[in-house]
């Protein structure tokens, strides 16, 4: 009670001081304080747009949370109109999440991202829950890019407009003033919303969103010898009793008691107090940004008379920031701190830049994303220090993850592999600082496993070992695997396929984006048909189509910049793989043969949310043709390619086979609502034996198929429903896929 009384007295005194300066002196100094409020804080931009249009000079800015983001960039020299343009084009889903562009991930990391629905770290033999949804790296990258031209300013009073923001010490709960250091870091710390972003360390303290302890940081601004202070608050009001209907409502009300009370007291310290009407928005209503900004413009209109008088006293015109941001980086010195578990070569191999190189900021950001995509680092904070007009010294501070073990999970259903539950154990740094061991156990209708051991050498040759067993049962015509079988069994019957493969390989990056791989494989392939109908042919209800061991050497070259493997809208895919089969058991008169398969696809956006994928795929064998079980197969729809199998709409799984094929395909995809897709697909192919030798591939495609479908992107992976048909065989039916493919 005594503390509240003291604060009230002080507030009144400050209020008297603030209002006793009427009439205003000539050329008055004006301060601006911007509150936090998440997405509602975009209203600050609308207020600033009116301030700029009137020609009012702001001499000092204080902000917290979203107010620090808007205020800090305005202090760095941006006009309100420029801020409007910047924030309107930001993809907040990417910005607020840890979503790393697919192209930034290594080929091994893409496999993980496109397989597992959830991942939980293990520390001291205990499963850990994440401290936040996001690390805030994308937010930090953006602020760094936007403040690059003032990166040499460490004292925020030396910015085009003096500035400070606030943060909260998570140990003591104290409100801290951030007015020096790295501007991008200070803004991102002040904007670290609880649960959404993880706390950040600075000078040994663990800091979070400034709005937790002080959501309207005017007190310090009052010490800056200002003549007039404008304040903008988007603080939530207390709920009425009619609005309190749930536990979350009660918790929100309790948390707002103190902040609303403090705000009403601090309002008295403000010469012009503005409260935009944004109560019908939430702190995550970033998709309504344009409307929120407009609300900010509307909120200031009742005060235009006062503000015009202020503008006339100042006679000021804000200079326009010529370059919204710089986009060329040349590093003179490069220093990385904090990497104890991982070598410098590993870190720089992921960052993909070296001292003396000149790169764009977008390429630099991709390098940072490459590093974080490994999941080996909690955060990566960095600072540019200009040493000339064209070069910077770079210092990066890495915080390595404290755990090396993870449990991962996934769910899946499709017509071939049926229902599956994926359990994965991943152990990093088992034997070396940059190795990863991964074991998938897939339980369900068709139990499988996949073992990987990978030593990541970045730019150098990486080493890997893969052991995989795939087994499933499906109604297939046995002639698919061996056309020499008696024609009496020309019908679909249950066939069990078991494929056990061990592969040792080395791979390296070529010009950062191409992955070249060399490997040696041992393969055990068993194919067995079972049906009462076989008795009349083989005098048994079971027939073993294939039971052999194969040894081969293989190579592959891959380039993949598709933005989304399931619903691509841009990027290029080039995959070519070859395999030389050296030996085979249980095959008389076996001789070596060579197989090659290539897939090229281009995705492009036609208009807004409408995209097109165009591709061509083909393969052929040279040499021995007496192993029909290793022929190419077409039919069905799957992202989990089994042996030499490829998709073909209009035909069921394992319907077409041959030792060579050529297929062209397209897919129109319309994202009619966020993460909701409608698509129309078509494919055309020739498949058979030696079609490239007989020149049959010059003929018009003999097989065609089409599909129309719906797709939904979820945290568990894509949910897809496709109706497909073929005009040649009158086939029609549905494909259903739930979850990531594995």
């Amino acid at each position: 009670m005594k503390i509240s009384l003291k604060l009230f007295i002080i507030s009144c005194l400050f209020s008297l001081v603030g209002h006793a300066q009427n009439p205003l002196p000539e050329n008055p100094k004006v301060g601006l304080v911007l509150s936090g409020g998440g997405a509602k804080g975009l209203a600050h931009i609308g207020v600033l747009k009116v301030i700029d249009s009137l020609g009012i000079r702001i001499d000092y800015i204080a902000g917290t949370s979203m107010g620090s983001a808007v205020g800090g960039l305005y202090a760095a020299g941006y006009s309100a109109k420029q801020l409007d343009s910047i924030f309107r084009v930001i993809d907040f889903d990417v910005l607020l999440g840890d979503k790393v562009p697919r192209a930034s991930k290594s080929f091994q990391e893409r496999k993980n991202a496109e397989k597992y629905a959830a991942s939980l770290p293990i520390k001291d033999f205990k499963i850990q829950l994440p401290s936040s949804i996001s690390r805030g790296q994308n937010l930090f990258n953006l602020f760094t890019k936007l403040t690059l031209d003032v990166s040499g300013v460490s004292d925020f009073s030396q910015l085009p407009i003096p500035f400070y923001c606030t943060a909260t010490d998570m140990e003591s709960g104290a409100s801290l003033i951030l007015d020096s250091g790295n501007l991008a870091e200070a803004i991102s710390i002040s904007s670290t919303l609880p649960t959404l972003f993880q706390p950040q360390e600075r000078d040994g303290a663990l800091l979070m969103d400034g709005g937790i302890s002080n959501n309207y940081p005017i007190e310090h601004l009052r010490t800056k010898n200002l003549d007039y202070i404008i304040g903008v608050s988007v603080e939530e009001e207390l709920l009425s009793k009619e609005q309190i209907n749930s536990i979350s409502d009660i918790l929100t009300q309790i948390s707002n008691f103190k902040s609303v009370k403090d705000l009403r007291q601090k309002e008295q310290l403000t010469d012009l107090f503005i409260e935009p009407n944004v109560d019908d928005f939430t702190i995550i209503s970033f998709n309504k940004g344009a409307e929120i900004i407009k609300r900010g413009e509307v909120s200031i209109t009742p005060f235009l008379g006062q503000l015009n008088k202020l503008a006339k006293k100042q006679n000021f015109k804000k200079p326009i920031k010529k370059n919204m941001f710089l986009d060329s980086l040349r590093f003179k010195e490069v220093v990385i701190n904090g990497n104890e578990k991982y070598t410098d070569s590993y870190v720089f191999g992921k960052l993909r830049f070296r001292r003396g190189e000149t790169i764009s900021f977008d390429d630099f950001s991709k390098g940072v994303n490459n590093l974080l995509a490994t999941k080996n680092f909690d955060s990566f904070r960095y600072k540019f220090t200009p040493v000339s007009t064209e070069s910077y010294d770079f210092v990066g501070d890495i915080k390595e993850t404290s755990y090396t073990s993870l449990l991962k999970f996934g769910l899946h259903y499709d017509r071939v592999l049926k229902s599956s539950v994926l359990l994965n154990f991943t152990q990093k740094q088992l034997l070396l600082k940059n190795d990863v061991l991964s074991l998938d156990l897939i339980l369900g209708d068709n139990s499988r496993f996949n073992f990987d051991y990978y030593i990541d050498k970045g730019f150098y040759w990486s080493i890997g070992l893969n052991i995989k067993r795939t087994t499933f049962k499906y109604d297939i015509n046995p002639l698919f695997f061996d056309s020499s079988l008696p024609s009496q069994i020309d019908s679909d019957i249950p066939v069990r396929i078991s494929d056990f493969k061990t592969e040792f390989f080395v791979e390296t990056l070529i010009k950062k984006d191409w992955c070249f791989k060399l490997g040696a494989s041992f393969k055990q392939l068993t194919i067995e048909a079972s049906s009462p109908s076989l008795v009349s042919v083989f005098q048994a209800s079971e027939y073993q189509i294939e039971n052999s061991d194969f040894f081969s050497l293989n190579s592959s070259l891959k380039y993949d910049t598709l933005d989304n493997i399931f619903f691509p809208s841009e990027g290029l895919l080039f995959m070519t793989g070859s395999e030389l089969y050296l030996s085979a058991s249980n095959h008389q008169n076996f001789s070596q043969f060579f197989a090659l398969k290539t897939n090229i696809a281009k995705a492009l956006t036609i208009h807004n949310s409408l995209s097109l994928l165009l591709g061509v795929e083909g393969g052929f064998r040279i040499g021995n043709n007496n192993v029909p079980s290793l022929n190419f197969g077409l039919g069905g729809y799957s992202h989990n390619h089994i042996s030499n199998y490829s998709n073909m709409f209009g035909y069921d799984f394992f319907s077409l086979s041959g030792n060579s094929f050529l297929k062209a395909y397209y897919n129109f995809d319309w994202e009619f609502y966020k993460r909701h897709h409608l698509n129309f697909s078509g494919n055309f192919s020739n498949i058979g034996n030696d079609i490239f030798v007989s020149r049959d591939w010059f003929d018009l495609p003999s097989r065609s198929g089409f599909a129309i479908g719906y797709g939904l992107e979820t945290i568990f992976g894509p949910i897809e429903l496709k109706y497909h048909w073929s005009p040649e065989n009158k086939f029609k039916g549905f494909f259903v896929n739930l979850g990531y493919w594995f």
Side-chain angles (χ1 to χ4, degrees):
M1 184 70 181
K2 291 181 179 178
I3 296 175
S4 298
L5 181 61
K6 288 181 180 179
L7 180 60
F8 177 75
I9 294 171
I10 293 171
S11 300
C12 291
L13 290 173
F14 272 124
S15 180
L16 290 172
V17 172
H19 291 87
Q21 295 176 348
N22 290 319
L24 290 170
E26 291 298 320
N27 197 23
K29 293 183 178 181
V30 178
L32 177 67
V33 57
L34 304 175
S35 80
K40 296 192 287 186
L42 293 173
H44 298 321
I45 297 175
V47 172
L48 286 170
K49 286 174 70 175
V50 176
I51 287 175
D52 278 355
S53 69
L54 296 174
I56 295 173
R57 183 190 71 244
I58 302 298
D59 297 282
Y60 218 116
I61 299 176
T64 193
S65 196
M66 193 62 181
S68 72
V70 174
L73 295 176
Y74 191 78
Y78 290 95
S79 68
K81 188 176 180 180
Q82 288 172 321
L83 292 179
D84 191 346
S85 300
I86 291 170
F87 281 92
R88 283 178 186 267
V89 299
I90 289 174
D91 186 338
F92 283 95
D93 285 345
V94 174
L95 184 67
L96 301 179
D98 270 337
K99 188 176 181 180
V100 176
R102 185 172 181 271
S104 295
K105 301 172 184 175
S106 71
F107 293 99
Q108 288 292 117
E109 290 151 3
R110 290 176 197 177
K111 291 180 183 178
N112 291 334
E114 293 157 5
K115 182 191 296 186
Y116 306 111
S119 178
L120 296 174
I122 301 174
K123 187 176 181 181
D124 299 328
F125 302 101
K126 297 179 181 178
I127 297 176
Q128 307 292 306
L129 295 177
S131 61
S132 63
I133 299 174
S134 169
R135 289 169 296 194
Q137 187 67 48
N138 290 333
L139 191 70
F140 177 79
N141 291 348
L142 175 66
F143 290 144
T144 299
K145 180 179 182 179
L146 295 174
T147 60
L148 192 59
D149 63 330
V150 294
S151 58
V153 179
S154 58
D155 181 354
F156 299 167
S157 67
Q158 301 303 310
L159 291 168
I161 302 175
F163 169 76
Y164 74 81
C165 58
T166 62
T168 302
D169 189 315
M170 293 304 293
E171 286 187 294
S172 66
S175 179
L176 303 179
I177 299 293
L178 305 180
D179 58 3
S180 62
N182 182 352
L183 179 61
E185 180 187 50
I187 294 174
S188 63
I189 289 175
S190 185
S191 307
T192 307
L193 288 170
T195 69
L196 179 59
F197 299 122
Q198 67 183 18
Q200 299 184 38
E201 290 188 22
R202 172 168 154 151
D203 299 330
L206 191 65
L207 306 180
M208 282 205 76
D209 193 299
I212 299 173
S213 55
N214 189 352
N215 202 40
Y216 190 77
I218 192 174
E219 302 90 336
H220 190 62
L221 196 64
R222 272 296 183 185
T223 67
K224 300 300 180 181
N225 194 31
L226 300 166
D227 300 303
Y228 196 86
I229 292 180
I230 301 171
V232 187
S233 173
V234 290
E235 176 82 54
E236 289 187 8
E237 295 289 341
L238 292 176
L239 301 174
S240 67
K241 64 180 182 180
E242 290 79 15
Q243 294 174 306
I244 303 175
N245 300 307
S246 66
I247 294 176
S248 63
D249 293 337
I250 295 173
L251 293 175
T252 299
Q253 186 82 337
I254 293 172
S255 65
N256 286 343
F257 280 148
K258 184 178 183 302
S259 60
V260 171
K261 182 179 180 181
D262 288 347
L263 178 64
R264 294 302 160 225
Q265 293 173 337
K266 293 177 181 181
E267 182 181 346
Q268 305 304 314
L269 308 178
T270 313
D271 296 285
L272 179 60
F273 186 74
I274 302 169
E275 285 188 289
N277 181 18
V278 291
D279 289 342
D280 51 331
F281 301 100
T282 70
I283 61 172
I284 57 172
S285 298
F286 291 101
N287 61 326
K288 304 288 182 64
E291 187 177 348
I292 296 173
I293 291 172
K294 187 64 179 178
R295 295 281 185 93
E297 294 182 56
V298 172
S299 69
I300 199 173
T301 52
F303 309 103
L304 291 180
Q306 295 172 250
L307 294 171
N308 272 313
K309 293 178 181 178
L310 184 64
K312 290 179 181 179
K313 291 268 185 186
Q314 287 187 322
N315 192 25
F316 170 77
K317 186 176 181 179
K318 183 179 175 69
I320 301 297
K321 195 181 187 77
K322 293 182 179 180
N323 298 318
M324 291 186 65
F325 47 80
L326 303 179
D327 198 36
S328 181
L329 302 170
R330 182 177 178 83
F331 301 116
K332 184 177 181 181
E333 295 291 338
V334 177
V335 177
I336 301 293
N337 301 317
N339 55 315
E340 298 177 356
K341 300 176 184 177
Y342 299 93
T343 64
D344 285 351
S345 62
Y346 176 84
V347 173
F348 284 112
K350 296 299 180 183
L351 290 173
R352 300 185 185 179
F353 69 83
R354 295 184 176 91
R355 183 174 61 187
E357 287 188 341
T358 299
I359 62 173
S360 69
F361 195 94
D362 286 344
D363 286 341
F364 169 80
S365 297
K366 289 178 183 177
V368 175
N369 286 330
N370 294 339
L371 188 70
L372 294 178
T374 65
K375 304 294 185 180
N376 295 327
F377 307 95
D378 282 336
S379 67
F380 183 49
R381 297 295 185 258
Y382 49 86
K383 184 178 181 181
F384 301 105
T385 302
V387 293
S388 69
T389 56
E390 299 181 348
S391 61
Y392 299 84
D393 284 343
F394 174 86
V395 178
D397 292 302
I398 286 176
K399 183 181 179 183
E400 298 175 331
T401 55
S402 58
Y403 56 85
T404 57
S405 304
L406 298 110
L407 282 179
K408 302 177 182 179
F409 309 91
L411 297 170
H412 180 77
Y413 172 82
D414 71 87
R415 284 180 58 190
V416 176
L417 299 174
K418 306 297 183 181
S419 300
S420 304
V421 176
L422 171 61
L423 303 176
N424 169 271
F425 174 75
T426 297
Q427 178 63 55
K428 300 179 180 181
Q429 301 173 357
L430 178 68
L431 303 175
L432 302 169
K433 287 186 175 182
N434 51 341
D435 70 354
V436 180
L437 180 148
S438 175
L439 175 62
D440 289 337
L441 295 177
I442 302 163
L443 309 175
D445 295 316
N446 295 286
S447 297
R448 298 163 279 145
F449 76 86
N450 183 67
F451 172 85
D452 281 298
Y453 180 74
Y454 190 73
I455 303 173
D456 194 336
K457 295 291 190 71
F459 281 121
Y460 305 103
W461 285 95
S462 299
I463 303 169
L465 173 68
N466 175 254
I467 305 172
K468 182 178 183 179
R469 182 178 185 267
T470 300
T471 182
F472 62 92
K473 192 173 185 179
Y474 197 76
D475 287 352
I476 308 169
N477 191 327
L479 294 176
F480 176 91
F481 302 103
D482 190 351
S483 60
S484 66
L485 293 174
S487 59
Q488 298 95 310
I489 61 172
D490 188 13
S491 62
D492 291 349
I493 59 175
V495 175
R496 178 168 291 279
I497 300 174
S498 179
D499 187 348
F500 177 84
K501 185 176 182 180
T502 300
E503 180 184 26
F504 174 81
F505 64 92
V506 294
E507 65 181 21
T508 187
L509 291 175
I510 302 174
K511 293 186 177 181
K512 302 180 180 180
D513 296 313
W514 293 83
C515 181
F516 178 63
K517 174 182 165 184
L518 294 170
S521 300
F522 172 77
K523 179 187 184 76
Q524 293 178 316
L525 179 62
T526 302
I527 304 174
E528 188 176 71
S530 60
S531 173
S533 63
L534 297 176
V535 175
S536 61
V537 182
F538 300 109
Q539 287 73 53
S541 61
E542 296 182 353
Y543 176 76
Q544 202 163 68
I545 301 172
E546 179 68 87
N547 184 20
S548 300
D549 300 337
F550 301 91
F551 179 73
S552 63
L553 301 176
N554 60 77
S555 67
S556 67
L557 181 64
K558 188 173 183 179
Y559 177 85
D560 183 3
T561 60
L562 295 179
D563 59 342
N564 189 313
I565 191 63
F566 304 107
F567 308 100
S569 60
E570 62 180 20
L572 176 67
L573 172 68
F574 175 87
M575 297 172 55
T576 185
S578 62
E579 195 148 12
L580 176 63
Y581 288 89
L582 301 175
S583 66
S585 66
N586 299 330
H587 280 274
Q588 296 182 353
N589 302 318
F590 174 84
S591 60
Q592 298 176 4
F593 67 93
F594 174 83
L596 177 74
K597 184 179 180 182
T598 299
N599 186 16
I600 304 172
K602 171 65 177 177
L604 64 156
T605 298
I606 300 175
H607 179 70
N608 293 333
S609 56
L610 179 64
S611 59
L612 171 65
L613 179 71
L614 292 172
V616 61
E617 187 177 11
F620 62 86
R621 285 172 51 175
I622 299 176
N624 185 5
N625 282 326
N626 65 357
V627 190
S629 60
L630 295 179
N631 278 347
F632 299 102
L634 295 178
Y637 174 70
S638 171
H639 280 270
N640 187 24
H641 298 289
I642 303 166
S643 188
N644 291 329
Y645 162 85
S646 295
N647 296 332
M648 183 72 188
F649 292 120
Y651 292 82
D652 202 358
F653 291 96
F654 309 101
S655 296
L656 307 171
S657 67
N659 68 10
S660 53
F661 80 100
L662 182 65
K663 183 185 77 171
Y665 57 93
Y666 67 83
N667 179 65
F668 286 98
D669 185 276
W670 176 38
E671 189 174 7
F672 63 94
Y673 190 73
K674 202 167 192 175
R675 300 188 182 90
H676 293 261
H677 300 258
L678 289 178
N679 41 68
F680 177 75
S681 309
N683 44 209
F684 314 88
S685 71
N686 283 327
I687 185 169
N689 290 328
D690 304 319
I691 67 170
F692 295 102
V693 176
S694 63
R695 297 180 179 264
D696 289 346
W697 67 287
F698 283 116
D699 298 338
L700 291 174
S702 59
R703 313 283 186 175
S704 65
F706 305 90
I708 186 169
Y710 164 79
L712 173 65
E713 299 178 73
T714 76
I715 60 172
F716 302 103
I719 296 175
E720 297 176 280
L721 176 64
K722 294 183 181 292
Y723 177 77
H724 69 125
W725 70 94
S726 172
E728 292 92 34
N729 61 3
K730 307 303 180 183
F731 177 89
K732 55 186 177 182
F734 285 94
F735 288 132
V736 178
N737 165 57
L738 305 175
Y740 290 120
W741 295 85
F742 48 78

